Amino acid sequence: MWLLLIILGGITYYLAKKTVAPVTRTPIWIIWSVMMMPAAVWTIWYEINGEDQQMPILWIIVPLVICFVLYVWLIRLGKIPASEQTKPTSQDSPTQPINLEKTPQESEIIRPITATEEKSLRDCFPWGVYYLQNLDYRPQAILCRGKLRTAPEKAYQSIKKNIEQVFGDRFLILFQEGLQGKPFFALVPNPWSQNEEQISDNKEKLKRPLFALGLLLLTLLTTTMIGTVSMAGVPQESLNNTPSLLLEGLPYSLGLITILGIHELSHYFTAVRYKIATTLPYFIPIPFFLGTFGAFIQMRSPVPHRKALFDVSVAGPLGGFIITLPLLLWGISLSEIVPLPTAENASLLNVEALDPRFSFLFAILVKLVLGSSFVAGKALHLHPLAVAGYIGLIVTALNLMPVGQLDGGHIVHAMFGQKTGIIVGQLTRILMLVLAMIRPEFLVWAILLWLMPLTDQPALNDVTELDDVRDFIGLFSLVLLIIILLPVPGAVSSWLQM
């Protein structure tokens, strides 16, 4: 539990630095302490009472409510005015969406264009495409409000072309839904506006193949060591005396790196297809726990539209899942059937005696591979390759959570719009908290979801909706999340004789 708390603390501090530090002067370590307080209280409770004891509901709710109120109060106490908040630079991907619907600041209105340029800007809006009614100057943007008179995609492309002919790459042209449901255009200073020499330099900095390769090799080492000792059960003393035993960990390490790598490469190549500036996949090696904290890419330029946002987001989980399936089926075939553990030893982390009935999909896969040999009262001692596939399944589910900046959050945003995405994200966080009360193994997930912002960076054209094929794929990804998390109902378990 304490190891998980330390890991959670590191992730929480990173999220706080990224999302909270730019908007408040309150010391980040104070906000981080408040964010971590519920997890610390729950960890202490489990250390005193044991993990097999059910935590009282008040121990869950009271720390959350108190710390949430403190969290909001501390941020507001040192809130930085919007006009003073840090703007993204060409070296950093903007992680927070610009709230273009905020009320104007009391400070003096900033006019980033001249009267002549304003007239030229008004001429960029043909009345038959988008009837411009007024320009609204904000510290961080020029809002162009009016009435949409044609299809959103056609309007965006037409007006974007007109504005770029007048201003070049001086502004990013955003197209967003307003609070009243009326789409508006916004011109935001373009942090990626550069000369050719700067573009060339940044491309070289973006692609760091030797750094990415070094992290990959280091992660291969750490995961192989963990796979040998923790997954294959080779004693540390034997490994020290016979280094060749390290090969026992390769099924785990190669399987896990393949799954994580395919996930991130699917994101990467889809982003490249849409000409989004993106780093290579970077693995995060650690010498304990799973041997890695996973892998990631960073997109360093805006997403052009909601179709691109959807495609980039859904490519990772689906790509990872497609490679996870055969590896998991292979690993299950190599696993050993063992007696079901006692209640105090039952856990989703107990790979030596894992009850596959915790997941509808996992149970179906086990029954598909092992058939009648797997019956009620039995569990699985997972082969190292099956452990890698099992982790791949969990990673797929976690990424498909429809919250904020997770892949699932992007998918829901692209399908239904940002406002609906925020509502779905909030409902998901509440449902996950309820699930954590029933199954404590999901408590860490619930905490992570509550710490994540509900909003994500909008696409430049955030109005044009998806087509039917993408909507179907999006719904499939949400169904996939449900069947991974949903335990096997009793009736189905009896029917499957497991």
Side-chain angles (χ1 to χ4, degrees):
M1 289 294 289
W2 288 106
L3 177 59
L4 289 176
L5 184 65
I6 293 171
I7 295 171
L8 179 63
I11 296 172
T12 302
Y13 189 80
Y14 172 79
L15 289 173
K17 286 284 286 184
K18 279 285 188 180
T19 62
V20 179
V23 299
T24 183
R25 294 189 177 92
T26 303
I28 197 65
W29 68 268
I30 296 178
I31 295 176
W32 173 79
S33 300
V34 171
M35 294 169 72
M36 287 300 299
M37 191 59 64
V41 170
W42 298 332
T43 300
I44 293 171
W45 191 94
Y46 277 119
E47 285 294 322
I48 295 174
N49 297 281
E51 295 184 25
D52 55 330
Q53 293 291 323
Q54 185 70 32
M55 184 183 296
I57 187 71
L58 287 178
W59 275 85
I60 297 175
I61 294 177
V62 172
L64 273 176
V65 172
I66 293 175
C67 292
F68 178 74
V69 172
L70 280 174
Y71 172 79
V72 173
W73 178 75
L74 287 170
I75 291 177
R76 291 180 179 241
L77 185 66
K79 187 170 182 180
I80 302 172
S83 57
E84 298 178 20
Q85 290 176 17
T86 305
K87 301 293 189 300
T89 68
S90 60
Q91 301 300 318
D92 299 294
S93 174
T95 57
Q96 290 297 300
I98 301 172
N99 188 351
L100 299 173
E101 285 289 278
K102 290 179 180 177
T103 57
Q105 301 295 317
E106 294 180 358
S107 58
E108 182 181 356
I109 294 178
I110 300 173
R111 294 185 180 273
I113 59 176
T114 65
T116 302
E117 288 176 327
E118 179 179 319
K119 183 180 182 304
S120 299
L121 176 60
R122 289 181 180 275
D123 292 339
C124 292
F125 292 84
W127 70 270
V129 176
Y130 187 88
Y131 177 59
L132 183 64
Q133 295 174 312
N134 69 286
L135 295 178
D136 188 2
Y137 291 95
R138 300 293 175 87
Q140 72 272 40
I142 305 172
L143 306 189
C144 309
R145 302 181 186 276
K147 293 182 179 179
L148 183 64
R149 293 184 175 273
T150 187
E153 180 66 23
K154 180 180 177 181
Y156 181 77
Q157 293 300 331
S158 173
I159 291 170
K160 179 176 181 287
K161 179 181 177 182
N162 293 342
I163 293 175
E164 287 178 345
Q165 287 177 347
V166 176
F167 296 100
D169 64 351
R170 180 174 161 186
F171 295 104
L172 293 177
I173 299 99
L174 279 67
F175 193 29
Q176 294 186 321
E177 288 282 359
L179 294 179
Q180 306 300 322
K182 296 181 178 179
F184 67 93
F185 285 85
L187 274 64
V188 179
N190 184 4
W192 293 273
S193 179
Q194 305 162 348
N195 59 41
E196 292 298 324
E197 184 177 347
Q198 288 175 313
I199 293 173
S200 178
D201 290 343
N202 284 333
K203 282 184 178 179
E204 290 182 7
K205 293 177 182 178
L206 194 65
K207 310 296 183 186
R208 296 192 290 175
L210 292 180
F211 179 66
L213 179 60
L215 287 176
L216 171 61
L217 294 177
L218 194 56
T219 304
L220 177 61
L221 175 62
T222 56
T223 51
T224 301
M225 292 177 63
I226 295 298
T228 302
V229 176
S230 301
M231 311 305 173
V234 176
Q236 186 65 51
E237 296 79 9
S238 301
L239 181 60
N240 293 338
N241 296 329
T242 313
S244 61
L245 290 175
L246 199 62
L247 297 176
E248 298 288 330
L250 283 179
Y252 167 77
S253 62
L254 292 177
L256 184 58
I257 285 177
T258 298
I259 292 169
L260 297 177
I262 293 296
H263 180 113
E264 295 305 326
L265 284 172
S266 299
H267 282 314
Y268 174 80
F269 286 117
T270 309
V272 169
R273 173 190 163 202
Y274 285 106
K275 300 180 181 179
I276 301 170
T278 309
T279 66
L280 291 170
Y282 296 139
F283 283 84
I284 308 174
I286 55 171
F288 55 89
F289 193 42
L290 302 177
T292 178
F293 270 158
F296 68 96
I297 64 170
Q298 283 187 314
M299 294 191 294
R300 299 293 183 88
S301 62
V303 179
H305 41 69
R306 274 164 57 177
K307 290 181 180 178
L309 177 65
F310 178 87
D311 290 353
V312 173
S313 302
V314 81
L318 291 188
F321 178 70
I322 289 171
I323 194 64
T324 293
L325 268 183
L327 293 178
L328 182 56
L329 291 171
W330 187 8
I332 290 172
S333 70
L334 301 173
S335 299
E336 180 184 355
I337 300 175
V338 297
L340 200 65
T342 57
E344 57 269 19
N345 293 325
S347 170
L348 297 182
L349 301 177
N350 184 4
V351 296
E352 295 182 355
L354 181 70
D355 184 357
R357 301 164 191 86
F358 80 94
S359 165
F360 186 88
L361 177 60
F362 193 74
I364 294 297
L365 296 178
V366 169
K367 196 64 178 177
L368 182 65
V369 175
L370 301 179
S372 59
S373 60
F374 190 87
V375 295
K378 296 296 182 180
L380 277 185
H381 183 174
L382 296 183
H383 184 272
L385 181 60
V387 176
Y390 174 50
I391 294 171
L393 211 59
I394 294 174
V395 168
T396 298
L398 180 59
N399 276 281
L400 285 176
M401 286 285 177
V403 179
Q405 297 177 24
L406 292 174
D407 292 333
H410 296 315
I411 290 169
V412 171
H413 169 189
M415 291 175 65
F416 306 111
Q418 192 171 55
K419 288 188 291 185
T420 302
I422 291 173
I423 295 172
V424 172
Q426 185 67 4
L427 291 174
T428 301
R429 299 202 299 189
I430 294 171
L431 290 174
M432 202 64 197
L433 186 60
V434 173
L435 181 61
M437 296 177 188
I438 302 171
R439 300 168 65 183
E441 296 93 341
F442 288 100
L443 189 58
V444 174
W445 284 33
I447 296 170
L448 283 174
L449 294 183
W450 276 98
L451 295 176
M452 287 182 179
L454 285 174
T455 55
D456 65 334
Q457 179 71 23
L460 294 180
N461 177 3
D462 211 48
V463 177
T464 302
E465 298 180 352
L466 305 183
D467 52 58
D468 292 340
V469 173
R470 288 182 171 87
D471 282 335
F472 176 80
I473 295 173
L475 291 174
F476 169 78
S477 69
L478 296 178
V479 170
L480 178 60
L481 168 65
I482 293 171
I483 64 174
I484 291 176
L485 294 183
L486 180 71
V488 180
V492 177
S493 183
S494 299
W495 179 65
L496 292 174
Q497 297 181 349
M498 60 181 300

